Amino acid sequence: MRTIGLIGGMSWHSSIEYYRVINERVAATLGGLHSARVVLDSMDFDEIREFQIAEDWVGAGERLAQSGRRLVAAGVDLLLIGTNLMHKVAPAVEAAVDVPLLHIADAVGAEAQRRGISTVGILGTSWVMGESFYADRLARQGIRAIAPHPSTHAVVDQIIFGELTQGIVREESRTVYRQVIEGLVAQGAEAIVLACTEIELLVRPQDSPVPLIDSMRTHAEAAAAYLLEDVLLPASAQA
């Protein structure tokens, strides 16, 4: 079986979910006592947050590239960055290693295509909503991304960093997110991308009038499929 390398800890709450989802998929597919081969390099999120606040994306990119190199040295076959925002520095990680990086927006775009969805609303950090690096990656797959009104970005961002990345879930914050989701649907969103790996802690299917695409689960499921590919394909080829 191949081995996944996860650049995690951003935050550790979502890294736990990555590990759980990947292993659940492998166990359900292979049965018995099977589990996934995963190497985790868990970053200290406080250090990464300092890079974000300073908007030092060069420094952040080098820190994640170091993590990627450690994982490759450990023998992984595929890299994941377990956060949406830090895909802003994905090119720096890709340039530092000689194994593929499974981009979270590529996994999200493939899932939207599978569901026949062409327009999605993006709910995430202010950088993910306000900049183009995430939407542009979705556009490569023919998926149009709609961001919430800029006036809502600060409160959505504050709930992520002030609450969800610390494992805090508040009903009043769920109400705020419901209102933002309703605004995205009014703009034409056919589905809502939970484009922060912690938002699934807060937003549930019943909180949205349109389907949700959970970026964390979608990314983890795609990674599990990669792991299983070299296990299952030989068997099917022999059939």
Side-chain angles (χ1 to χ4, degrees), residues 53-71:
I53 292 169
E55 300 215 35
D56 180 4
W57 301 111
V58 173
E62 177 52 33
R63 187 62 59 87
L64 265 68
Q66 290 171 3
S67 176
R69 287 191 287 265
R70 285 193 294 269
L71 289 167

Side-chain angles (χ1 to χ4, degrees), residues 40-70:
L40 168 65
D41 188 26
S42 190
M43 312 290 285
D44 179 354
F45 191 31
D46 187 72
E47 295 177 4
I48 302 302
R49 184 61 179 149
E50 290 300 317
F51 283 118
Q52 293 171 350
I53 292 169
E55 300 215 35
D56 180 4
W57 301 111
V58 173
E62 177 52 33
R63 187 62 59 87
L64 265 68
Q66 290 171 3
S67 176
R69 287 191 287 265
R70 285 193 294 269

Side-chain angles (χ1 to χ4, degrees), residues 39-152:
V39 181
L40 168 65
D41 188 26
S42 190
M43 312 290 285
D44 179 354
F45 191 31
D46 187 72
E47 295 177 4
I48 302 302
R49 184 61 179 149
E50 290 300 317
F51 283 118
Q52 293 171 350
I53 292 169
E55 300 215 35
D56 180 4
W57 301 111
V58 173
E62 177 52 33
R63 187 62 59 87
L64 265 68
Q66 290 171 3
S67 176
R69 287 191 287 265
R70 285 193 294 269
L71 289 167
V72 170
V76 306
D77 302 292
L78 179 74
L79 283 180
L80 273 68
I81 301 173
T83 158
N84 287 268
L85 169 55
M86 296 314 292
H87 280 76
K88 184 174 170 65
V89 300
V93 178
E94 289 175 309
V97 298
D98 57 2
V99 302
L101 172 74
L102 177 58
H103 197 291
I104 197 167
D106 290 347
V108 167
E111 178 63 12
Q113 287 181 330
R114 187 187 70 79
R115 299 192 196 184
I117 293 166
S118 60
T119 303
V120 298
I122 299 295
L123 199 58
T125 66
S126 58
W127 289 285
V128 170
M129 294 185 294
E131 297 186 12
S132 65
F133 69 93
Y134 200 90
D136 287 348
R137 194 82 182 202
L138 290 174
R140 294 185 190 181
Q141 299 181 71
I143 308 299
R144 174 175 171 248
I146 301 171
H149 191 277
S151 64
T152 68

Side-chain angles (χ1 to χ4, degrees), residues 162-180:
E163 299 173 21
L164 299 181
T165 56
Q166 299 173 55
I168 299 168
V169 176
R170 294 194 169 113
E171 189 61 37
E172 52 267 38
S173 297
R174 182 175 287 122
T175 299
V176 170
Y177 272 43
R178 283 176 181 155
Q179 293 169 347
V180 175

Side-chain angles (χ1 to χ4, degrees), residues 10-14 82 160 164-165 196-202:
M10 300 170 287
S11 69
W12 63 263
H13 299 280
S14 60
I160 290 170
L164 299 181
T165 56
C196 168
T197 52
E198 282 79 27
I199 294 179
E200 59 94 19
L201 301 173
L202 179 67

